[in-house]
Amino acid sequence: MLGKNLKYIGHIERCERFISNKMLIKILELWKLQPEEFYKFPPYKF
């Protein structure tokens, strides 16, 4: 769906490569998310 091979996606998941803005936009469109929804994390508890 993203037009990339699994090796590239694996590098992104393991933080071995940076994700491009273009790829991030494709993911947000695919998942039908707004950027603020994508970056919303639960509160950190100490």
Side-chain angles (χ1 to χ4, degrees):
M1 296 175 137
L2 295 172
K4 298 290 181 181
N5 65 35
L6 294 178
K7 188 174 182 178
Y8 172 79
I9 301 299
H11 286 286
I12 299 296
E13 290 174 341
R14 292 187 300 277
C15 300
E16 296 171 351
R17 290 187 72 168
F18 291 110
I19 190 168
S20 68
N21 288 336
K22 188 175 179 178
M23 183 58 61
L24 180 58
I25 290 169
K26 283 184 178 183
I27 291 170
L28 293 175
E29 289 173 350
L30 181 67
W31 290 345
K32 297 179 173 75
L33 290 174
Q34 294 296 314
E36 57 271 9
E37 294 173 296
F38 183 77
Y39 287 108
K40 186 176 181 180
F41 298 103
Y44 184 77
K45 297 182 181 181
F46 291 95

